[in-house]
Amino acid sequence: MSTTTEQKSSYDREDLLACAHGELFGPGNARLPLPNMLMMDRIAHISDQGGKYGKGEIIAELDIRPDLWFFECHFESDPVMPGCLGLDATWQLLGFLLGWLGHPGRGRALGVGSVKFSGQILPTAKKVTYKLDVKRVISRKLILGIADATVSVDGKEIYLAEDLRVGLFTSTDGF
């Protein structure tokens, strides 16, 4: 799939914020959420080749700071990053990849086959790493990305999500 001349293999926080404002892939196309829901600080690597299935991969990172908004409310006196935020980050990244590949439409999470949590992200951690391995991109009436993902904290894998699904929609009126 051909992409724009602006295509890069990594993106910093300013680039991610530009995507959130609709400046990266054009009007009506894939966006990342704005903070506080933007769950990464950088995309360290993105490619339409490689990965576990040879169909592409994304590696992104979130720097952990004790003052991140979710630690104050989840939970009082027992702060931990909600697992659903790590899962949402993987959906965000799969939607970003579809836009990066040049596909039109707005991203929507469509599901996940299975999720397993085997650890937690505490305010004492330093870095969360998200890794997605693309399994398939379907480009028909609906643009659909399918990937597996891992979430690691300080190098230790703690979440595994299989068969993540994100679609791109040129109209979300009937969704």
Side-chain angles (χ1 to χ4, degrees):
M1 168 87 16
S2 70
T3 56
T4 67
T5 57
E6 305 271 332
Q7 186 182 29
K8 304 187 316 185
S9 62
S10 63
Y11 292 83
D12 63 19
R13 181 126 174 121
E14 284 185 30
D15 295 325
L16 302 181
L17 292 172
C19 181
H21 289 292
E23 299 165 2
L24 201 59
F25 303 127
N29 290 325
R31 289 185 180 205
L32 289 168
L34 288 165
N36 286 331
M37 285 304 297
L38 179 62
M39 296 311 303
M40 67 217 61
D41 290 312
R42 73 198 65 80
I43 293 176
H45 174 72
I46 183 170
S47 176
D48 60 359
Q49 300 175 5
K52 184 176 177 181
Y53 305 103
K55 297 182 179 186
E57 65 182 350
I58 278 192
I59 299 168
E61 300 169 338
L62 172 67
D63 297 324
I64 297 298
R65 301 179 323 274
D67 65 344
L68 286 170
W69 67 273
F70 43 80
F71 288 132
E72 185 178 324
C73 58
H74 190 271
F75 298 95
E76 186 176 30
S77 76
D78 183 23
V80 60
M81 178 177 164
C84 61
L85 293 180
L87 178 61
D88 194 71
T90 63
W91 278 318
Q92 291 175 21
L93 287 164
L94 186 52
F96 183 94
L97 178 111
L98 294 174
W100 180 83
L101 288 170
H103 295 294
R106 295 181 175 116
R108 297 294 186 267
L110 297 177
V112 61
S114 67
V115 180
K116 295 177 185 168
F117 298 102
S118 59
Q120 58 186 345
I121 300 167
L122 302 174
T124 53
K126 300 297 179 208
K127 182 170 64 175
V128 173
T129 303
Y130 309 103
K131 182 174 189 309
L132 274 72
D133 293 299
V134 178
K135 295 176 96 170
R136 189 168 180 198
V137 174
I138 299 168
S139 179
R140 296 193 184 119
K141 184 176 180 181
L142 168 71
I143 307 299
L144 178 68
I146 304 170
D148 290 345
T150 58
V151 177
S152 301
V153 62
D154 296 333
K156 178 185 174 194
E157 186 177 300
I158 59 167
Y159 306 172
L160 172 64
E162 295 177 318
D163 295 322
L164 292 159
R165 287 177 158 73
V166 169
L168 294 185
F169 299 83
T170 53
S171 171
T172 56
D173 292 342
F175 186 71

